[in-house]
Coordinates of all heavy atoms in Angstrom, one line a residue:
M799 N 111.4 108.5 109.5 CA 111.7 108.3 108.0 C 110.3 107.9 107.4 O 109.6 107.1 107.9 CB 112.7 107.3 107.8 CG 113.1 107.2 106.3 SD 114.5 106.1 106.2 CE 114.7 106.1 104.4
A800 N 110.1 108.5 106.3 CA 108.8 108.2 105.5 C 108.8 106.8 105.0 O 109.9 106.3 104.5 CB 108.6 109.2 104.4
K801 N 107.7 106.2 105.0 CA 107.6 104.8 104.5 C 107.4 104.9 102.9 O 107.7 103.9 102.3 CB 106.4 104.1 105.1 CG 106.5 103.7 106.5 CD 105.3 103.2 107.2 CE 104.5 102.2 106.5 NZ 103.4 101.7 107.2
Y802 N 106.9 106.0 102.4 CA 106.6 106.1 101.0 C 107.3 107.3 100.4 O 107.6 108.2 101.1 CB 105.1 106.3 100.8 CG 104.3 105.1 101.2 CD1 103.7 105.0 102.4 CD2 104.1 104.0 100.3 CE1 103.0 103.9 102.8 CE2 103.4 102.9 100.6 CZ 102.8 102.8 101.9 OH 102.1 101.7 102.3
N803 N 107.6 107.1 99.1 CA 108.1 108.3 98.3 C 107.4 108.2 97.0 O 106.7 107.2 96.7 CB 109.6 108.2 98.2 CG 110.2 107.0 97.5 OD1 109.6 106.4 96.6 ND2 111.3 106.5 98.0
E804 N 107.6 109.2 96.1 CA 106.9 109.2 94.8 C 107.2 108.0 94.0 O 106.3 107.4 93.4 CB 107.2 110.5 94.1 CG 106.5 111.7 94.6 CD 106.6 112.9 93.7 OE1 107.1 112.8 92.6 OE2 106.2 114.0 94.2
E805 N 108.5 107.6 94.0 CA 108.8 106.4 93.2 C 108.1 105.1 93.6 O 107.6 104.4 92.8 CB 110.3 106.1 93.2 CG 110.8 105.0 92.3 CD 112.3 104.8 92.3 OE1 113.0 105.6 92.9 OE2 112.7 103.8 91.7
K806 N 108.0 104.9 94.9 CA 107.4 103.7 95.5 C 105.9 103.8 95.2 O 105.3 102.8 94.8 CB 107.6 103.6 97.0 CG 107.1 102.3 97.6 CD 107.3 102.3 99.1 CE 108.7 101.8 99.4 NZ 108.9 101.5 100.8
V807 N 105.2 104.9 95.3 CA 103.8 105.0 95.0 C 103.5 104.8 93.6 O 102.6 104.1 93.2 CB 103.2 106.4 95.5 CG1 101.8 106.6 95.0 CG2 103.3 106.5 97.0
L808 N 104.4 105.4 92.7 CA 104.2 105.1 91.2 C 104.4 103.7 90.9 O 103.7 103.1 90.1 CB 105.2 106.0 90.4 CG 104.9 107.5 90.4 CD1 106.1 108.2 89.8 CD2 103.7 107.8 89.6
Y809 N 105.4 103.0 91.6 CA 105.6 101.6 91.3 C 104.4 100.8 91.7 O 104.0 99.9 90.9 CB 106.8 101.2 92.2 CG 107.0 99.7 92.1 CD1 107.7 99.1 91.0 CD2 106.6 98.8 93.1 CE1 107.9 97.7 91.0 CE2 106.8 97.5 93.1 CZ 107.5 96.9 92.0 OH 107.6 95.5 91.9
F810 N 103.8 101.0 92.8 CA 102.6 100.2 93.2 C 101.4 100.6 92.4 O 100.6 99.7 92.1 CB 102.3 100.5 94.7 CG 103.2 99.7 95.6 CD1 104.1 100.4 96.5 CD2 103.3 98.3 95.6 CE1 104.9 99.7 97.3 CE2 104.1 97.6 96.5 CZ 105.0 98.3 97.3
C811 N 101.3 101.8 91.9 CA 100.2 102.2 91.0 C 100.3 101.5 89.7 O 99.4 101.3 89.0 CB 100.1 103.7 90.8 SG 99.5 104.6 92.2
N812 N 101.5 101.1 89.3 CA 101.8 100.5 88.0 C 101.5 99.0 88.0 O 101.5 98.4 87.0 CB 103.3 100.7 87.7 CG 103.6 100.4 86.2 OD1 102.8 100.7 85.4 ND2 104.8 99.9 86.0
R813 N 101.3 98.4 89.2 CA 100.9 97.0 89.3 C 99.5 96.8 88.8 O 98.7 97.7 88.7 CB 101.1 96.5 90.7 CG 102.6 96.7 91.2 CD 102.8 96.3 92.6 NE 102.4 94.9 92.7 CZ 102.5 94.3 93.9 NH1 102.8 94.9 95.0 NH2 102.2 93.0 94.0
H814 N 99.2 95.5 88.5 CA 97.9 95.1 87.9 C 96.7 95.6 88.7 O 95.8 96.2 88.1 CB 97.8 93.6 87.8 CG 96.5 93.1 87.3 ND1 96.1 93.3 86.0 CD2 95.6 92.4 87.9 CE1 94.9 92.8 85.9 NE2 94.5 92.2 87.0
I815 N 96.7 95.5 90.0 CA 95.6 95.9 90.8 C 95.7 97.4 91.2 O 94.8 97.9 91.8 CB 95.4 95.0 92.1 CG1 96.6 95.1 92.9 CG2 95.1 93.6 91.7 CD1 96.4 94.4 94.3
G816 N 96.8 98.0 91.0 CA 97.0 99.4 91.4 C 97.4 99.5 92.8 O 97.7 98.5 93.5
L817 N 97.4 100.7 93.3 CA 97.7 101.0 94.7 C 96.4 101.1 95.5 O 95.5 101.9 95.1 CB 98.5 102.3 94.8 CG 98.7 102.9 96.2 CD1 99.7 102.0 97.0 CD2 99.1 104.3 96.2
H818 N 96.2 100.4 96.6 CA 95.1 100.5 97.5 C 95.4 101.4 98.6 O 96.4 101.2 99.3 CB 94.6 99.2 98.0 CG 93.4 99.2 98.9 ND1 93.6 99.1 100.2 CD2 92.1 99.4 98.6 CE1 92.4 99.3 100.8 NE2 91.5 99.4 99.8
V819 N 94.6 102.5 98.8 CA 94.8 103.3 100.0 C 93.6 103.1 100.9 O 92.5 103.4 100.5 CB 94.9 104.8 99.6 CG1 95.1 105.7 100.8 CG2 96.1 105.0 98.7
S820 N 93.8 102.6 102.1 CA 92.8 102.2 103.0 C 92.0 103.5 103.4 O 92.6 104.6 103.6 CB 93.4 101.5 104.2 OG 92.4 101.4 105.2
C821 N 90.7 103.3 103.7 CA 89.9 104.4 104.2 C 90.4 104.8 105.6 O 90.1 105.9 106.1 CB 88.4 104.1 104.2 SG 87.9 102.6 105.0
D822 N 91.1 103.9 106.3 CA 91.7 104.2 107.6 C 93.0 104.9 107.6 O 93.5 105.3 108.6 CB 91.9 102.9 108.4 CG 90.6 102.1 108.7 OD1 89.6 102.8 108.7 OD2 90.7 100.9 108.8
E823 N 93.6 105.2 106.4 CA 94.8 105.9 106.2 C 94.6 107.3 106.7 O 93.7 108.0 106.3 CB 95.3 105.9 104.8 CG 96.6 106.5 104.6 CD 97.8 105.8 105.1 OE1 97.7 104.5 105.2 OE2 98.8 106.4 105.5
P824 N 95.4 107.7 107.7 CA 95.2 109.1 108.3 C 95.5 110.2 107.2 O 96.4 110.1 106.4 CB 96.3 109.2 109.3 CG 96.8 107.8 109.6 CD 96.5 107.0 108.3
K825 N 94.6 111.2 107.3 CA 94.8 112.4 106.4 C 96.1 113.0 106.8 O 96.5 113.1 108.0 CB 93.7 113.4 106.6 CG 92.3 112.8 106.3 CD 92.0 113.0 104.8 CE 90.6 112.7 104.5 NZ 90.4 111.6 103.7
G826 N 96.9 113.5 105.8 CA 98.2 114.1 106.1 C 99.3 113.1 106.3 O 100.5 113.6 106.5
S827 N 99.1 111.8 106.1 CA 100.2 110.9 106.1 C 101.0 111.0 104.9 O 100.6 111.7 103.9 CB 99.7 109.4 106.2 OG 99.1 109.1 105.0
D828 N 102.3 110.5 104.9 CA 103.1 110.6 103.7 C 102.4 110.0 102.5 O 102.5 110.6 101.4 CB 104.5 110.0 104.0 CG 104.5 108.5 104.4 OD1 103.5 108.1 105.0 OD2 105.5 107.9 104.2
L829 N 101.7 108.9 102.7 CA 101.0 108.2 101.6 C 99.9 109.1 101.0 O 99.9 109.3 99.8 CB 100.4 106.9 102.0 CG 99.7 106.1 100.9 CD1 100.5 105.9 99.7 CD2 99.1 104.8 101.5
T830 N 99.0 109.7 101.9 CA 98.0 110.5 101.3 C 98.5 111.8 100.7 O 97.9 112.2 99.7 CB 96.9 110.8 102.4 OG1 97.5 111.6 103.5 CG2 96.2 109.6 102.9
E831 N 99.5 112.3 101.2 CA 100.1 113.6 100.6 C 100.7 113.3 99.3 O 100.6 114.0 98.3 CB 101.2 114.2 101.6 CG 100.6 114.7 102.9 CD 99.7 115.9 102.7 OE1 100.0 116.7 101.9 OE2 98.6 115.9 103.3
I832 N 101.5 112.2 99.1 CA 102.1 111.8 97.9 C 101.0 111.5 96.8 O 101.1 111.9 95.7 CB 103.1 110.6 98.0 CG1 104.3 111.1 98.9 CG2 103.5 110.1 96.7 CD1 105.2 110.0 99.4
V833 N 100.0 110.7 97.2 CA 98.9 110.4 96.3 C 98.2 111.7 95.8 O 98.0 111.9 94.6 CB 97.8 109.5 97.0 CG1 96.5 109.5 96.2 CG2 98.4 108.1 97.1
A834 N 98.0 112.7 96.7 CA 97.4 114.0 96.3 C 98.3 114.7 95.3 O 97.8 115.3 94.3 CB 97.1 114.8 97.5
T835 N 99.6 114.7 95.6 CA 100.6 115.4 94.7 C 100.6 114.7 93.3 O 100.5 115.4 92.3 CB 102.0 115.3 95.3 OG1 102.0 116.0 96.6 CG2 103.0 115.9 94.4
L836 N 100.6 113.4 93.3 CA 100.7 112.7 92.0 C 99.4 112.8 91.2 O 99.4 112.9 90.0 CB 101.1 111.2 92.2 CG 102.5 111.0 92.8 CD1 102.7 109.5 93.1 CD2 103.5 111.5 91.9
L837 N 98.3 112.9 91.9 CA 97.0 113.1 91.2 C 97.0 114.5 90.6 O 96.6 114.7 89.5 CB 95.8 113.0 92.2 CG 95.3 111.7 92.6 CD1 94.4 111.7 93.8 CD2 94.6 111.0 91.4
G838 N 97.5 115.5 91.3 CA 97.6 116.9 90.8 C 98.5 117.0 89.6 O 98.3 117.8 88.8
K839 N 99.6 116.2 89.6 CA 100.5 116.2 88.4 C 100.0 115.4 87.3 O 100.6 115.3 86.2 CB 101.8 115.6 88.8 CG 102.6 116.4 89.8 CD 103.9 115.7 90.1 CE 104.8 116.4 91.1 NZ 106.0 115.6 91.4
G840 N 98.9 114.6 87.5 CA 98.3 113.8 86.4 C 99.1 112.5 86.2 O 99.0 111.9 85.1
Q841 N 99.9 112.1 87.2 CA 100.7 110.9 87.1 C 100.0 109.6 87.5 O 100.4 108.5 87.2 CB 102.0 111.1 87.8 CG 102.9 112.2 87.2 CD 104.2 112.4 87.9 OE1 104.5 111.8 88.9 NE2 105.0 113.3 87.3
I842 N 99.0 109.8 88.3 CA 98.1 108.7 88.7 C 96.7 109.1 88.6 O 96.4 110.3 88.5 CB 98.4 108.2 90.1 CG1 98.1 109.2 91.2 CG2 99.8 107.7 90.3 CD1 98.2 108.7 92.6
E843 N 95.8 108.1 88.6 CA 94.3 108.4 88.5 C 93.6 107.4 89.4 O 94.1 106.3 89.7 CB 93.8 108.3 87.1 CG 94.0 106.9 86.5 CD 93.7 106.8 85.0 OE1 93.1 107.7 84.5 OE2 94.0 105.7 84.4
K844 N 92.5 107.9 89.9 CA 91.6 107.0 90.8 C 90.9 106.0 89.9 O 90.3 106.4 88.9 CB 90.6 107.8 91.5 CG 89.8 107.0 92.5 CD 88.9 107.9 93.3 CE 87.9 107.2 94.1 NZ 87.0 108.1 94.9
L845 N 91.1 104.7 90.2 CA 90.5 103.7 89.4 C 89.1 103.2 89.9 O 88.2 102.9 89.2 CB 91.4 102.5 89.3 CG 92.8 102.7 88.6 CD1 93.6 101.4 88.7 CD2 92.6 103.1 87.2
N846 N 89.1 103.1 91.2 CA 87.9 102.5 91.9 C 87.9 102.8 93.3 O 88.9 103.3 93.9 CB 88.0 100.9 91.7 CG 86.6 100.3 91.7 OD1 85.6 100.9 92.1 ND2 86.6 99.0 91.4
Q847 N 86.8 102.5 93.9 CA 86.6 102.7 95.4 C 85.7 101.6 95.9 O 84.8 101.2 95.2 CB 86.0 104.1 95.6 CG 85.8 104.5 97.0 CD 85.3 105.9 97.1 OE1 85.5 106.7 96.2 NE2 84.5 106.2 98.2
D848 N 86.0 101.2 97.1 CA 85.1 100.2 97.8 C 85.0 100.5 99.2 O 85.5 101.6 99.6 CB 85.6 98.8 97.5 CG 87.0 98.4 98.0 OD1 87.5 99.2 98.9 OD2 87.6 97.5 97.6
D849 N 84.4 99.7 100.0 CA 84.3 100.0 101.4 C 85.6 100.1 102.2 O 85.7 100.7 103.2 CB 83.4 98.9 102.1 CG 82.0 98.9 101.6 OD1 81.5 99.9 101.1 OD2 81.3 97.9 101.8
G850 N 86.6 99.5 101.6 CA 87.9 99.5 102.2 C 88.8 100.6 101.9 O 89.8 100.9 102.5
G851 N 88.5 101.3 100.8 CA 89.4 102.4 100.4 C 89.3 102.7 98.9 O 88.3 102.4 98.3
E852 N 90.4 103.3 98.4 CA 90.4 103.7 97.0 C 91.6 103.0 96.3 O 92.6 102.7 96.9 CB 90.6 105.2 96.9 CG 89.5 106.0 97.5 CD 89.7 107.5 97.5 OE1 90.8 107.9 97.8 OE2 88.8 108.3 97.2
Y853 N 91.4 102.8 95.0 CA 92.5 102.2 94.2 C 92.9 103.2 93.2 O 92.1 103.9 92.5 CB 91.9 101.0 93.5 CG 91.6 99.8 94.4 CD1 90.3 99.8 95.0 CD2 92.5 98.8 94.7 CE1 90.0 98.8 95.9 CE2 92.2 97.8 95.6 CZ 90.9 97.8 96.2 OH 90.6 96.8 97.0
F854 N 94.3 103.3 93.0 CA 94.9 104.2 92.1 C 95.7 103.5 91.1 O 96.4 102.5 91.4 CB 95.7 105.3 92.8 CG 94.9 106.1 93.7 CD1 94.7 105.7 95.1 CD2 94.3 107.3 93.3 CE1 93.9 106.5 95.9 CE2 93.5 108.0 94.2 CZ 93.3 107.6 95.5
G855 N 95.7 104.0 89.8 CA 96.6 103.4 88.8 C 97.4 104.5 88.2 O 97.2 105.7 88.3
I856 N 98.4 104.1 87.5 CA 99.4 105.0 86.9 C 98.9 105.5 85.5 O 98.2 104.7 84.8 CB 100.8 104.3 86.8 CG1 101.9 105.3 86.6 CG2 100.8 103.2 85.7 CD1 103.3 104.8 86.9
T857 N 99.3 106.7 85.1 CA 99.0 107.2 83.8 C 100.2 107.2 83.0 O 101.3 106.8 83.5 CB 98.4 108.7 83.9 OG1 99.5 109.5 84.4 CG2 97.2 108.8 84.8
K858 N 100.1 107.6 81.7 CA 101.3 107.6 80.9 C 102.3 108.6 81.4 O 103.5 108.3 81.4 CB 100.9 108.0 79.4 CG 102.1 107.9 78.5 CD 101.7 108.1 77.1 CE 102.9 108.1 76.2 NZ 102.5 108.3 74.8
L859 N 101.9 109.8 81.9 CA 102.8 110.7 82.6 C 103.5 110.1 83.8 O 104.7 110.3 84.0 CB 102.1 112.0 83.0 CG 101.7 113.0 82.0 CD1 100.8 114.1 82.6 CD2 102.9 113.5 81.3
G860 N 102.8 109.3 84.5 CA 103.3 108.5 85.7 C 104.3 107.5 85.2 O 105.4 107.3 85.9
D861 N 104.0 106.8 84.1 CA 105.0 105.8 83.6 C 106.3 106.5 83.3 O 107.4 105.9 83.6 CB 104.4 105.1 82.3 CG 103.5 104.0 82.6 OD1 103.6 103.4 83.7 OD2 102.6 103.8 81.7
I862 N 106.2 107.6 82.6 CA 107.4 108.4 82.3 C 108.2 108.8 83.5 O 109.4 108.6 83.6 CB 107.1 109.6 81.4 CG1 106.6 109.1 80.0 CG2 108.3 110.5 81.2 CD1 105.9 110.2 79.1
A863 N 107.5 109.4 84.5 CA 108.1 109.8 85.7 C 108.8 108.6 86.5 O 109.9 108.7 87.0 CB 107.1 110.5 86.6
L864 N 108.1 107.5 86.5 CA 108.6 106.3 87.2 C 109.9 105.8 86.5 O 110.9 105.6 87.2 CB 107.6 105.2 87.2 CG 108.1 103.8 87.8 CD1 108.5 104.0 89.2 CD2 106.9 102.8 87.7
L865 N 109.9 105.7 85.2 CA 111.1 105.3 84.5 C 112.2 106.3 84.7 O 113.4 105.9 84.9 CB 110.8 105.2 83.0 CG 110.0 103.9 82.6 CD1 109.5 104.0 81.2 CD2 110.9 102.7 82.7
E866 N 112.0 107.6 84.7 CA 113.0 108.6 85.0 C 113.6 108.4 86.3 O 114.8 108.5 86.5 CB 112.5 110.0 84.8 CG 112.2 110.3 83.3 CD 111.5 111.7 83.1 OE1 110.9 112.2 84.1 OE2 111.5 112.2 82.0
K867 N 112.8 108.1 87.3 CA 113.2 107.9 88.7 C 114.0 106.6 88.8 O 115.1 106.6 89.5 CB 112.1 107.9 89.7 CG 111.4 109.3 89.9 CD 110.2 109.2 90.7 CE 109.4 110.5 90.8 NZ 110.2 111.6 91.3
Q868 N 113.6 105.6 88.1 CA 114.3 104.3 88.1 C 115.6 104.4 87.4 O 116.6 103.9 87.9 CB 113.4 103.2 87.5 CG 112.3 102.8 88.3 CD 111.3 101.8 87.6 OE1 111.2 101.8 86.4 NE2 110.6 101.0 88.4
I869 N 115.7 105.1 86.3 CA 117.0 105.3 85.6 C 118.0 106.1 86.5 O 119.1 105.7 86.6 CB 116.7 106.1 84.3 CG1 116.1 105.2 83.3 CG2 118.1 106.6 83.7 CD1 115.5 105.9 82.0
A870 N 117.5 107.1 87.2 CA 118.4 107.9 88.1 C 118.9 107.0 89.2 O 120.1 107.1 89.5 CB 117.6 109.1 88.6
W871 N 118.1 106.2 89.8 CA 118.5 105.3 90.9 C 119.5 104.3 90.3 O 120.6 104.1 91.0 CB 117.3 104.6 91.5 CG 117.7 103.8 92.7 CD1 117.8 104.1 94.0 CD2 118.2 102.4 92.6 NE1 118.2 103.1 94.7 CE2 118.5 102.0 93.9 CE3 118.4 101.5 91.6 CZ2 119.0 100.7 94.2 CZ3 118.9 100.2 91.9 CH2 119.1 99.9 93.2
R872 N 119.2 103.7 89.2 CA 120.1 102.7 88.6 C 121.5 103.3 88.3 O 122.5 102.7 88.5 CB 119.4 102.0 87.4 CG 118.2 101.2 87.9 CD 117.5 100.5 86.7 NE 118.3 99.4 86.2 CZ 118.3 98.2 86.8 NH1 117.6 98.0 87.9 NH2 119.1 97.2 86.3
E873 N 121.5 104.5 87.7 CA 122.7 105.2 87.4 C 123.6 105.5 88.6 O 124.8 105.3 88.6 CB 122.5 106.4 86.6 CG 122.0 106.1 85.1 CD 121.7 107.4 84.3 OE1 121.5 108.4 84.9 OE2 121.5 107.2 83.1
R874 N 122.9 105.9 89.7 CA 123.6 106.2 90.9 C 124.2 105.0 91.5 O 125.2 105.0 92.3 CB 122.6 106.9 92.0 CG 122.4 108.3 91.8 CD 121.7 108.9 93.0 NE 120.5 108.2 93.5 CZ 119.3 108.3 93.1 NH1 119.0 109.1 92.1 NH2 118.3 107.6 93.6
N875 N 123.6 103.8 91.3 CA 124.0 102.6 91.9 C 124.7 101.6 90.9 O 124.9 100.5 91.2 CB 122.8 101.9 92.5 CG 122.3 102.6 93.7 OD1 122.9 102.5 94.8 ND2 121.3 103.4 93.6
G876 N 125.2 102.1 89.8 CA 126.0 101.4 88.8 C 125.2 100.2 88.1 O 125.9 99.2 87.8
K877 N 123.9 100.3 88.0 CA 123.1 99.3 87.3 C 122.9 99.6 85.9 O 122.9 100.8 85.5 CB 121.8 99.1 88.0 CG 121.9 98.9 89.5 CD 122.4 97.6 89.9 CE 122.3 97.3 91.4 NZ 122.9 96.1 91.8
K878 N 122.6 98.6 85.1 CA 122.3 98.8 83.7 C 121.0 99.6 83.5 O 120.0 99.3 84.3 CB 122.2 97.5 83.0 CG 123.6 96.8 82.9 CD 123.5 95.3 82.3 CE 122.8 95.2 81.0 NZ 122.8 93.9 80.4
T879 N 120.9 100.4 82.5 CA 119.7 101.2 82.3 C 119.2 101.1 80.9 O 118.2 101.8 80.5 CB 120.0 102.7 82.6 OG1 121.0 103.2 81.7 CG2 120.4 103.0 84.0
S880 N 119.8 100.3 80.0 CA 119.4 100.3 78.6 C 117.9 99.9 78.4 O 117.2 100.5 77.6 CB 120.3 99.3 77.9 OG 120.3 98.0 78.4
E881 N 117.4 99.0 79.2 CA 116.0 98.6 79.0 C 115.1 99.7 79.5 O 114.1 100.0 78.8 CB 115.7 97.3 79.8 CG 114.3 96.7 79.6 CD 114.0 96.3 78.2 OE1 114.9 96.0 77.4 OE2 112.8 96.3 77.9
H882 N 115.4 100.4 80.5 CA 114.6 101.5 81.0 C 114.6 102.6 80.0 O 113.6 103.2 79.8 CB 115.1 102.0 82.4 CG 114.9 101.0 83.5 ND1 115.6 99.8 83.6 CD2 113.9 101.0 84.5 CE1 115.1 99.2 84.7 NE2 114.1 99.8 85.2
H883 N 115.8 102.9 79.4 CA 115.9 104.0 78.4 C 115.1 103.6 77.2 O 114.4 104.5 76.6 CB 117.4 104.2 78.0 CG 118.1 105.1 79.0 ND1 117.8 106.5 79.1 CD2 119.1 104.8 79.9 CE1 118.6 107.0 80.0 NE2 119.4 106.0 80.5
R884 N 115.1 102.3 76.8 CA 114.3 101.9 75.7 C 112.8 102.1 75.9 O 112.1 102.7 75.1 CB 114.6 100.4 75.3 CG 113.8 99.9 74.1 CD 113.9 98.4 73.9 NE 113.3 97.7 75.0 CZ 111.9 97.6 75.2 NH1 111.1 98.2 74.3 NH2 111.4 96.9 76.2
K885 N 112.3 101.7 77.1 CA 110.9 101.9 77.4 C 110.6 103.4 77.5 O 109.5 103.8 77.0 CB 110.6 101.2 78.7 CG 110.6 99.7 78.7 CD 110.3 99.2 80.1 CE 110.5 97.7 80.1 NZ 110.3 97.1 81.5
L886 N 111.4 104.2 78.0 CA 111.2 105.6 78.1 C 111.1 106.3 76.8 O 110.3 107.1 76.5 CB 112.3 106.3 79.0 CG 112.2 107.8 79.2 CD1 110.9 108.1 79.9 CD2 113.3 108.3 80.0
S887 N 112.0 105.8 75.9 CA 112.0 106.4 74.5 C 110.7 106.0 73.8 O 110.1 106.9 73.1 CB 113.2 105.8 73.7 OG 113.2 106.3 72.4
E888 N 110.3 104.8 74.0 CA 109.0 104.4 73.4 C 107.8 105.2 73.9 O 107.0 105.7 73.1 CB 108.7 102.9 73.7 CG 109.5 101.9 72.9 CD 109.2 100.5 73.4 OE1 108.3 100.2 74.2 OE2 110.0 99.6 72.9
L889 N 107.8 105.5 75.1 CA 106.7 106.3 75.7 C 106.8 107.7 75.3 O 105.7 108.3 74.9 CB 106.7 106.2 77.2 CG 106.2 105.0 77.9 CD1 106.5 105.0 79.4 CD2 104.8 104.8 77.7
T890 N 107.9 108.3 75.2 CA 108.0 109.7 74.9 C 107.8 110.0 73.4 O 107.4 111.1 73.0 CB 109.4 110.3 75.4 OG1 110.5 109.6 74.8 CG2 109.4 110.3 76.9
T891 N 108.1 109.0 72.5 CA 107.9 109.2 71.1 C 106.4 109.0 70.7 O 106.0 109.4 69.6 CB 108.8 108.3 70.3 OG1 108.6 106.9 70.6 CG2 110.3 108.6 70.4
Q892 N 105.7 108.3 71.6 CA 104.2 108.1 71.3 C 103.4 109.3 71.5 O 102.3 109.4 71.0 CB 103.7 107.0 72.2 CG 104.3 105.6 71.9 CD 103.8 104.6 72.9 OE1 103.1 104.9 73.9 NE2 104.2 103.4 72.7
G893 N 103.9 110.3 72.2 CA 103.1 111.5 72.5 C 102.2 111.2 73.7 O 102.0 110.1 74.0
I894 N 101.7 112.3 74.3 CA 100.8 112.1 75.5 C 99.4 112.3 75.2 O 98.9 112.8 74.3 CB 101.3 113.0 76.6 CG1 102.7 112.6 77.0 CG2 100.3 113.0 77.8 CD1 103.3 113.5 78.0

């Protein structure tokens, strides 16, 4: 079973320091494949690089995708979604 999915990667990219991908992360791993996919969709961006690896942050498109994924999960599991819908509405009315 994969350790990462798009929602989890977007979530970590949304944190203050972003997502760190170690330079030791094997090419073709679920993490590197998802990062490449999200970069291609414009949902994340590379923020920085150091000797240990690369840091990625979320873009507005990624914020929207993350909220949509969180809403879907919450609806499937009977959780409240009003706050997520409010944030999504704010993002989508601002334009990209």
Side-chain angles (χ1 to χ4, degrees):
M799 182 171 181
K801 289 172 45 176
Y802 294 94
N803 60 36
E804 285 190 10
E805 183 177 356
K806 186 181 278 190
V807 171
L808 288 167
Y809 173 82
F810 284 116
C811 287
N812 195 35
R813 297 177 62 183
H814 175 68
I815 61 170
L817 170 72
H818 179 258
V819 179
S820 172
C821 57
D822 295 335
E823 184 69 30
K825 299 273 191 244
S827 70
D828 57 336
L829 179 58
T830 60
E831 293 295 318
I832 293 168
V833 165
T835 298
L836 295 175
L837 281 168
K839 292 179 181 179
Q841 294 179 356
I842 64 172
E843 62 187 348
K844 184 175 170 182
L845 299 175
N846 204 351
Q847 182 174 335
D848 61 20
D849 292 342
E852 299 175 316
Y853 293 85
F854 298 90
I856 199 163
T857 64
K858 186 171 179 181
L859 286 174
D861 279 331
I862 291 169
L864 177 59
L865 283 166
E866 289 171 342
K867 292 174 185 305
Q868 289 174 332
I869 288 167
W871 183 91
R872 293 180 75 77
E873 286 176 345
R874 280 192 313 272
N875 290 283
K877 306 288 184 185
K878 291 170 57 173
T879 60
S880 56
E881 185 63 23
H882 290 75
H883 278 290
R884 184 191 62 74
K885 290 178 187 176
L886 181 59
S887 178
E888 286 177 6
L889 283 173
T890 55
T891 57
Q892 293 172 357
I894 294 175

